[in-house]
């Protein structure tokens, strides 16, 4: 039968293989019969809207890239189009939120880890279920929001996790 598809998006300075090594989604996919895909972002970054690195600076169309991957993978594998998910760490989490905003008709749910929503003007066509994982001591993506950044990212002001969750409850 058609299988679910899960995008596992690396954090800034990361790579897809590293995301799979850290999360073990490839082994889980084998055990539970879903397809896990961990693509590499341009210059090890994702354009999550308000963040991050070379992908944002170069205005890389990462939403278009993921949409094209869904199309290409659907031609080669029996993917259930109603069960396409995204997760990611840090910059990958931020990209998961952007996918929920801009591909809400194709993304069933997201599970961001240690990164908040950077997309400005998010207007999803439907509410996308979110399960969010985040520590309270993260200086690069502060749980309470406020000044953030460093490393791959220019200084920015992040929304708090509470603000992001309130947005998704109301959308």
């Amino acid at each position: 039968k058609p299988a679910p598809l899960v995008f596992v998006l690396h954090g800034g300075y990361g790579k897809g293989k590293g995301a799979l090594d850290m999360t073990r989604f490839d082994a889980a996919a084998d055990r539970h019969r879903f397809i896990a895909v961990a693509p590499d972002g341009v210059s090890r970054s994702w354009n999550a809207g308000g963040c991050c690195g070379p992908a944002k600076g170069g205005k890389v169309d990462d939403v278009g890239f993921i949409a094209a991957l869904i199309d290409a993978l659907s031609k080669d594998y029996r993917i259930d189009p109603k069960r396409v998910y995204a997760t990611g760490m840090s910059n990958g989490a931020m990209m998961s939120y952007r996918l929920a905003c801009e591909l809400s008709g194709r993304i069933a749910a997201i599970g961001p880890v240690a990164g908040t929503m950077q997309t400005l003007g998010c207007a999803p066509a439907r509410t996308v279920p979110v399960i969010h994982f985040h520590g309270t001591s993260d200086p690069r993506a502060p749980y309470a929001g406020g000044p953030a950044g460093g490393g791959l990212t220019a200084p920015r002001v992040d929304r708090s996790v509470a603000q992001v969750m309130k947005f998704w409850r109301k959308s």
Side-chain angles (χ1 to χ4, degrees), residues 61-153:
D61 183 8
D62 283 323
V63 173
F65 170 63
I66 297 296
L69 269 177
I70 294 169
D71 293 340
L73 292 165
S74 295
K75 289 179 183 172
D76 292 335
Y77 301 94
R78 293 189 64 213
I79 291 173
D80 183 344
K82 293 182 180 185
R83 295 190 296 163
V84 177
Y85 306 96
T87 186
M89 176 84 158
S90 189
N91 181 215
M94 297 169 189
M95 187 64 205
S96 295
Y97 276 113
R98 185 163 190 198
L99 295 173
C101 288
E102 298 184 34
L103 293 180
S104 62
R106 301 186 79 182
I107 299 293
I110 61 170
V113 179
T116 63
M117 189 167 72
Q118 299 294 314
T119 304
L120 305 174
C122 178
R126 69 170 188 85
T127 300
V128 175
V130 175
I131 185 167
H132 185 103
F133 300 90
H134 207 116
T136 57
S137 298
D138 186 343
R140 297 234 166 102
Y143 183 87
L152 177 67
T153 67

Side-chain angles (χ1 to χ4, degrees), residues 24-42:
R24 300 182 189 169
F25 259 94
D26 50 348
D30 289 342
R31 274 193 318 276
H32 300 289
R33 304 184 57 87
F34 66 90
I35 298 169
V37 176
D40 289 336
V42 170

